[in-house]
Amino acid sequence: MAKIDSDFPCSLVIAIPLPTHRLASSALRALQVDAELSPLVRRSFSLVSPNESQSEASNGSVDTPSLNGNPAQESTNGDIPLEEKTILRTEYQATTNRMLRVSVNGFLESIGVVLGIMQELDVDVLAEQHKLAQG
């Protein structure tokens, strides 16, 4: 969990699991090109593994670097292989709950578009759906 900043006291972490690291990384790159429009909101993206996500839930923190648009900069964060990092983690901090809500609403619309495109066009997503339908 992010440290509480007195200038940005309202915060939210959204973790979105995706079937593969490639899809998670693609979603991250697609979303981070749009900067936050308001200086009253801060947003950071990172990719984490399911184990990191669970340990964060149990102890309240995870040490994950933010990614800055270049997949070559992705860190393995210790002994965790990049291929296991399938959860897109987005941290928001805002000055007010209203600003947080407005920014998160915009993010949810954007992630809906990205996931919809993946569902329609990506072979990995189609293969995953086929497995779920048969299983």
Side-chain angles (χ1 to χ4, degrees):
M1 182 185 297
K3 293 180 182 176
I4 296 178
D5 181 342
S6 61
D7 293 334
F8 293 83
C10 304
S11 64
L12 178 69
V13 176
I14 302 170
I16 301 172
L18 292 154
T20 66
H21 171 75
R22 185 180 65 77
L23 291 172
S25 181
S26 294
L28 181 141
R29 289 192 316 271
L31 292 166
Q32 77 184 110
V33 297
D34 294 327
E36 277 301 318
L37 298 176
S38 172
L40 304 176
V41 179
R42 293 180 186 163
R43 176 183 68 191
S44 65
F45 294 105
S46 58
L47 296 179
V48 296
S49 73
N51 293 337
E52 286 175 295
S53 184
Q54 289 173 358
S55 69
E56 176 195 28
S58 63
N59 70 16
S61 67
V62 64
D63 182 25
T64 306
S66 293
L67 299 178
N68 297 315
N70 184 351
Q73 292 178 348
E74 295 179 18
S75 159
T76 59
N77 198 20
D79 295 332
I80 300 170
L82 284 178
E83 290 304 313
E84 290 184 19
K85 295 187 176 202
T86 59
I87 297 177
L88 174 62
R89 184 173 186 267
T90 308
E91 287 186 48
Y92 274 94
Q93 293 179 316
T95 56
T96 66
N97 283 328
R98 180 182 180 278
M99 291 305 300
L100 181 63
R101 178 181 52 82
V102 168
S103 290
V104 169
N105 281 345
F107 169 76
L108 293 176
E109 285 183 29
S110 295
I111 193 70
V113 170
V114 169
L115 295 176
I117 290 170
M118 286 180 175
Q119 183 177 9
E120 292 291 322
L121 302 177
D122 197 284
V123 292
D124 288 351
V125 174
L126 295 174
E128 187 71 22
Q129 285 180 345
H130 184 68
K131 285 181 195 175
L132 292 174
Q134 289 182 347

